[in-house]
C-alpha cells in the first residue's frame, strides 16, 4: 500500500491511520524529486521486501484537500495527494509524474488499485494511469469529490528486469484549467 501525499503519512495504528495494514509513504520530499527513492518497501503485514519505488519524473507538490470522511481507506491516506499539472502552477509546467517499482518478480501477475480524492471542486480532474511492464495497460479515474470510488488493473507482469513503470497524465476529459 502506498500513500502519496504530504505530511499526513499513513502509519499502522488507530484512526486516522490504519489499524490493520502497514503502508509505504511517498512524501513530498520523495515525490517532488526526479531522483526520489523509497527502498525496502513493506508488505501490508509489516514484512520487509527488496522492492523499491524510484521516481522517473517528479510530482509538482502535495494537496491536503482529499476526503476526510473515507469509506474504504484510512483518512491519513485519503486526505492528501501528490499531483502533476500541465499549465503553470507553483512556477512549474508540464509536470507528468512517473515512477517505477523495482525488485519485482517477473513471474507474478500484479494487481494495481488507484484511488484519489480532491474535495470541494466542480470540475473534472480525470487522470490517466499508464502501467507498463511486459505489456502496457491504461485506466482513467476522476478524483473530483471522490469518497469511495477506485479503479483497478489486473494481470500486470514486470519486465525481465523486475520493473513496472506507472505514469500519470490528464485525460481529454480533464477540464481543470491547470489540468491537475
Amino acid at each position: 500500500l502506498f500513500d502519496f501525499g504530504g505530511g499526513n503519512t499513513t502509519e499502522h495504528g488507530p484512526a486516522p491511520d490504519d489499524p490493520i495494514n502497514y503502508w509505504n509513504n511517498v512524501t513530498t520530499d520523495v515525490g517532488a524529486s526526479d531522483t526520489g527513492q523509497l527502498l525496502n518497501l513493506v508488505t501490508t503485514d509489516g514484512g520487509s521486501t527488496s522492492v523499491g519505488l524510484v521516481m522517473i519524473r517528479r510530482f509538482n507538490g502535495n494537496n491536503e484537500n482529499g476526503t476526510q470522511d473515507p469509506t474504504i481507506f484510512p483518512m491519513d491516506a485519503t486526505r492528501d495527494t501528490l499531483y502533476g499539472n500541465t499549465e503553470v502552477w507553483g512556477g512549474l509546467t508540464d509536470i507528468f509524474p512517473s515512477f517505477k517499482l523495482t525488485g519485482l518478480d517477473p513471474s507474478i501477475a500484479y494487481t494495481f488499485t488507484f484511488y484519489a480524492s480532491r474535495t470541494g471542486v466542480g470540475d473534472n480532474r480525470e487522470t490517466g494511469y499508464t502501467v507498463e511492464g511486459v505489456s502496457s495497460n491504461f485506466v482513467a479515474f476522476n478524483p473530483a469529490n471522490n469518497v469511495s470510488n477506485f479503479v483497478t488493473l489486473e494481470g500486470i507482469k514486470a519486465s525481465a528486469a523486475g520493473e513496472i513503470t506507472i505514469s500519470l497524465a490528464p485525460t481529454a476529459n480533464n477540464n481543470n484549467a491547470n489540468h491537475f
Side-chain angles (χ1 to χ4, degrees), residues 9 23 25-26 36 44 68 72 74-75 78 84 87 93-94 99 106 111 115 117 129 140 142 144 155-156 163 166 174:
T9 58
W23 287 68
N25 290 292
V26 182
T44 57
Q68 293 191 29
I72 56 175
M75 182 172 62
T78 63
E87 278 46 69
T93 188
D94 293 326
F99 58 91
T111 298
Y115 173 91
S117 175
Y129 298 85
N142 181 8
I156 311 296
E163 297 179 349
I166 300 170
N174 184 318

Side-chain angles (χ1 to χ4, degrees), residues 6-27:
N8 294 313
T9 58
T10 305
E11 304 293 335
H12 178 258
D17 287 310
D18 191 331
I20 299 169
N21 298 304
Y22 287 81
W23 287 68
N24 298 282
N25 290 292
V26 182
T27 62

Side-chain angles (χ1 to χ4, degrees), residues 67-146:
T67 186
Q68 293 191 29
D69 194 22
T71 59
I72 56 175
F73 297 111
M75 182 172 62
D76 273 355
T78 63
R79 69 178 165 185
D80 60 351
T81 188
L82 296 178
Y83 61 87
N85 53 283
T86 61
E87 278 46 69
V88 176
W89 181 262
L92 299 173
T93 188
D94 293 326
I95 304 298
F96 295 93
S98 182
F99 58 91
K100 65 181 173 181
L101 298 175
T102 62
L104 299 171
D105 183 340
S107 69
I108 295 175
Y110 294 91
T111 298
F112 290 86
T113 299
F114 298 100
Y115 173 91
S117 175
R118 174 55 166 93
T119 59
V121 295
D123 52 9
N124 183 323
R125 297 182 182 211
E126 188 175 81
T127 302
Y129 298 85
T130 301
V131 181
E132 297 179 84
V134 171
S135 61
S136 181
N137 293 286
F138 176 86
V139 67
F141 181 73
N142 181 8
N145 299 306
N146 181 47

Side-chain angles (χ1 to χ4, degrees), residues 4-6 26-34 55 57-63 81-98 168 176 178-180:
F4 288 81
V26 182
T27 62
T28 306
D29 288 342
V30 172
S33 166
D34 287 330
M55 293 301 302
R57 290 187 310 270
R58 65 171 287 168
F59 288 88
N60 185 331
N62 72 300
N63 181 297
T81 188
L82 296 178
Y83 61 87
N85 53 283
T86 61
E87 278 46 69
V88 176
W89 181 262
L92 299 173
T93 188
D94 293 326
I95 304 298
F96 295 93
S98 182
L168 289 71
N176 176 270
N178 295 354
H179 294 105
F180 291 122

Side-chain angles (χ1 to χ4, degrees), residues 30-51:
V30 172
S33 166
D34 287 330
T35 59
Q37 295 184 31
L38 191 58
L39 304 177
N40 302 313
L41 301 175
V42 297
T43 61
T44 57
D45 63 2
S48 61
T49 73
S50 59
V51 175

